[in-house]
Amino acid sequence: MKIVLIGRGRLATNLDRALRQAGHKVTSINSRTLEGLPCEADVFIIAVKDSALLDVIREATKGREDQLFVHTAGSMSLKLFEDHTTRYGVFYPMQTFSKERQADFSVIPLFLEADGPETMATLQVLAGSISQRIYELTTDERKYLHLAAVFACNFANHCYDMAASVLEQHGLPFNVMLPLIDETARKVHELHPRQAQTGPAVRYDENVIGMQSNLLAEQPDLQRIYQLMSQHIHEYATQPSINKE
């Protein structure tokens, strides 16, 4: 396919590589200037930050109202396109991206939404050329998917950052945590996260929890997070068991 990719951030960089490797002809455009934006393509993919998305849609679709445009945002509505183009969709790869690391798109779930069956068929072909995991999802469903991804990725990574801060204050390297982090991630491939949970909060060991909470007395924000997380883990642990589907 002839594809125009608007954006040069982390997602756009990885998606560009994957599309080219799949044999597509890709024209990469800077979203800030839209300089050199072609008039026609099989698909225009807008991969920009959420706050800039609507402005880019308004500018990019001018004179191209009959072209197929999609965005890649997890929490933004399909309806953003309604007043600007007649063919539109969502092409959302659920993954965390870095320019320094090339993601393997073949295992990344791609979530699609479209204005109609014809557009969906085109997006299915495009998605199938780079990924083995393709799903159709409405905007409302995708918002909850993105919310869950924030917990699983962004919040989890912030916990790594907090752990790194505690270690660094006491002269310990963060890499001592890596085997633990890796094993925790591997376990949830086989167990429901609630079944995989361990630690003092599960059994609510008040001696350990109290001692560790006291260690954070000079960092009240971390102390509150620790206490709330411990309480929440225990509350989840006392709920009926959940079997992994």
Side-chain angles (χ1 to χ4, degrees):
M1 289 186 184
K2 181 180 178 182
I3 297 170
V4 174
L5 181 58
I6 302 172
R8 289 183 175 168
R10 289 171 294 183
L11 167 55
T13 299
N14 279 267
L15 185 54
D16 190 352
R17 293 173 186 152
L19 291 169
R20 291 179 191 275
Q21 289 174 355
H24 299 289
K25 183 179 180 181
V26 182
T27 301
S28 178
I29 299 295
N30 190 321
S31 62
R32 295 180 182 178
T33 64
L34 295 179
E35 184 178 353
L37 184 64
C39 294
E40 296 182 353
D42 292 308
V43 185
F44 288 78
I45 301 177
I46 303 176
V48 300
K49 60 184 181 181
D50 291 359
S51 60
L53 181 56
L54 186 54
D55 288 339
V56 173
I57 288 173
R58 289 191 184 114
E59 292 301 315
T61 56
K62 287 180 180 177
R64 302 173 185 84
E65 290 82 1
D66 60 342
Q67 297 293 299
L68 171 53
F69 282 83
V70 301
H71 73 64
T72 59
S75 58
M76 302 299 283
S77 175
L78 175 72
K79 294 182 179 180
L80 290 178
F81 289 109
E82 282 188 343
D83 297 329
H84 306 286
T85 184
T86 57
R87 301 168 60 211
Y88 48 89
V90 176
F91 193 86
Y92 171 52
M94 192 182 68
Q95 184 55 282
T96 177
F97 294 100
S98 301
K99 288 187 177 182
E100 299 79 12
R101 290 175 56 86
Q102 183 171 351
D104 179 5
F105 262 83
S106 67
V107 297
I108 295 175
L110 281 172
F111 296 90
L112 310 178
E113 188 176 10
D115 65 271
E118 183 177 348
T119 298
M120 180 58 75
T122 300
L123 297 185
Q124 287 276 3
V125 171
L126 179 60
S129 70
I130 61 174
S131 176
Q132 301 172 9
R133 304 179 66 185
I134 304 165
Y135 306 88
E136 295 184 24
L137 213 60
T138 67
T139 291
D140 287 341
E141 292 168 332
R142 183 165 30 83
K143 288 179 179 178
Y144 284 102
L145 178 76
H146 190 253
L147 171 61
V150 167
F151 275 100
C153 176
N154 306 124
F155 287 2
N157 191 73
H158 186 60
C159 286
Y160 301 156
D161 196 5
M162 290 188 290
S165 176
V166 170
L167 292 168
E168 288 163 4
Q169 289 171 21
H170 298 279
L172 297 169
F174 178 71
N175 62 16
V176 300
M177 292 286 111
L178 295 180
L180 177 64
I181 291 170
D182 292 343
E183 177 60 19
T184 303
R186 280 192 292 267
K187 282 202 297 186
V188 296
H189 284 264
E190 301 175 8
L191 300 172
H192 187 280
R194 198 171 303 167
Q195 293 173 321
Q197 186 70 61
T198 62
V202 173
R203 56 188 182 274
Y204 214 75
D205 187 329
E206 295 188 28
N207 290 331
V208 175
I209 292 172
M211 179 189 67
Q212 293 184 338
S213 180
N214 288 337
L215 292 176
L216 297 169
E218 296 182 3
Q219 301 175 77
D221 287 345
L222 286 189
Q223 188 181 57
R224 285 194 294 272
I225 292 170
Y226 177 89
Q227 292 169 346
L228 181 59
M229 289 284 281
S230 295
Q231 179 182 346
H232 207 255
I233 288 170
H234 180 65
E235 289 174 355
Y236 265 43
T238 60
Q239 292 178 7
S241 62
I242 294 178
N243 295 320
K244 181 180 176 183
E245 295 180 358

